[in-house]
Amino acid sequence: SAIGNSAGLFAYHRGTSANYTLTARTTDGTGSGWVGSESNDWSAINFQSVADRAIDKARRSRNPVGIEPGRYTVIFEPEATANLVSLMGGAFQARSADEGRSAFSKAGGGTRLGEKIVDERVTLLTDPADPLILGSPFDGEGMPTGKQTWVQNGVLNSLAYNRFWANKQGKTATGGAQSLRMAGGKDTIESMIASTTRGVLVTRLWYLRPLDARTLMYTGLTRDGTFLIENGKVTRPIKNFRFNESPIFFLNNLEAMGPTIRINASENLGAGGAVYMPPIKVRDFTFSSLSDAV
């Protein structure tokens, strides 16, 4: 990848990224399963494992039943976590926060830097030199992307300054939040399920669209394997939901968190969109309506 302009800007980077995803559908059209894998090393992807898991999930998701929309305890597999949490990366912009247009703007003026914004177990950072990600050393403006901790133990720790806003505010320009990584925990998806009286297990999210920049509220759909949890067990496949939720809201309702894994969170699923995210369990996640789409 390279970027250059007539003013003398030039940045160049060589890297590798391999991404493999599979959606398996049952012959009756009622079941769908999705699994993906991402790595800098093509040989590290286990294609057979991806296929086996996608087919198994498709079979288990056949003939889903509808349940009432509402607020549920939800367990997100890492892809679903990444789909929502990655949206915070583009919001760590100093200009929008300074101008009062951001979830990180303070009422009455100023920003929320130094304030607790999510659960204290949440740390979000970017580091292009991290051997688990090996991201690009510059962003779309050609700005160097050094290690930055955006959220530290739940507290908003830093915001990104592009060239224009840094010059205007007398600050140092920084790169944006690329290849976001969320610190993980030690819980397993199995232990999260076992500790849930009634809840929903979500494979991934789709068609995410913004509703309100001031709260980072998004709407979207579950997809490719959504299941009901009752008394500590997955009991049946259920129809997909539309949701209205903010990553800031649901990261304040965190109940459990597992180890982080590398995943691709972008909707177009192309190579190079790696992030590191954990499976998580949250309470009071808002499902607004049912969707008949598989």
Side-chain angles (χ1 to χ4, degrees):
S1 59
I3 183 171
N5 66 18
S6 58
L9 172 69
F10 184 77
Y12 172 75
H13 172 65
R14 291 184 66 183
T16 61
S17 182
N19 172 244
Y20 178 63
T21 68
L22 180 65
T23 302
R25 296 289 297 270
T26 57
T27 54
D28 63 4
T30 68
S32 182
W34 181 95
V35 176
S37 184
E38 167 96 19
S39 177
N40 291 108
D41 181 359
W42 178 266
S43 66
I45 294 178
N46 188 330
F47 298 94
Q48 188 63 55
S49 174
V50 169
D52 291 343
R53 289 158 53 207
I55 291 168
D56 176 68
K57 185 160 286 192
R59 287 171 173 163
R60 290 189 291 112
S61 66
R62 285 178 296 187
N63 301 312
V65 299
I67 65 173
E68 285 295 316
R71 292 190 173 185
Y72 285 88
T73 294
V74 179
I75 297 170
F76 293 96
E77 294 190 6
E79 175 68 23
T81 302
N83 291 143
L84 263 181
V85 174
S86 294
L87 299 173
M88 294 179 70
F92 292 128
Q93 295 296 322
R95 180 178 182 178
S96 58
D98 287 337
E99 293 179 341
R101 300 182 285 109
S102 164
F104 306 125
S105 302
K106 184 183 293 185
T111 73
R112 298 183 65 188
L113 279 170
E115 290 186 13
K116 183 176 179 294
I117 59 170
V118 289
D119 188 281
E120 58 272 8
R121 288 169 286 183
V122 176
T123 292
L124 293 169
L125 57 89
T126 56
D127 182 4
D130 185 336
L132 295 175
I133 292 182
L134 295 176
S136 173
F138 55 87
D139 66 8
E141 290 191 330
M143 289 299 304
T145 52
K147 183 177 180 180
Q148 292 243 57
T149 301
W150 308 102
V151 176
Q152 178 75 51
N153 298 327
V155 174
L156 182 62
N157 186 69
S158 59
L159 293 170
Y161 285 83
N162 61 23
R163 284 188 181 86
F164 169 78
W165 200 244
N167 289 335
K168 189 175 180 65
Q169 299 295 97
K171 301 284 187 178
T172 301
T174 64
Q178 298 188 126
S179 301
L180 201 62
R181 179 169 184 166
M182 178 173 168
K186 297 182 179 180
D187 299 294
T188 65
I189 292 179
E190 290 75 20
S191 68
M192 295 180 202
I193 293 171
S195 65
T196 302
T197 302
R198 182 176 171 83
V200 176
L201 175 64
V202 175
T203 295
R204 68 170 180 145
L205 306 174
W206 184 254
Y207 207 62
L208 287 97
R209 297 295 181 267
L211 296 176
D212 180 13
R214 286 296 308 273
T215 59
L216 272 186
M217 181 69 72
Y218 277 77
T219 189
L221 299 163
T222 63
R223 181 170 179 166
D224 298 318
T226 307
F227 302 91
L228 180 65
I229 301 168
E230 296 175 295
N231 299 317
K233 295 182 179 180
V234 176
T235 56
R236 68 187 73 181
I238 56 177
K239 289 186 176 182
N240 286 309
F241 286 110
R242 174 169 292 280
F243 65 87
N244 295 309
E245 193 58 84
S246 164
I248 294 177
F249 295 172
F250 93 142
L251 288 179
N252 268 298
N253 292 333
L254 189 64
E255 292 200 344
M257 184 164 52
T260 57
I261 68 168
R262 178 168 168 153
I263 199 72
N264 191 315
S266 65
E267 287 192 37
N268 62 19
L269 297 176
V275 294
Y276 260 82
M277 294 286 163
I280 62 174
K281 177 181 175 180
V282 302
R283 62 185 178 275
D284 296 330
F285 189 85
T286 304
F287 291 122
S288 55
S289 61
L290 287 174
S291 170
D292 288 327
V294 178

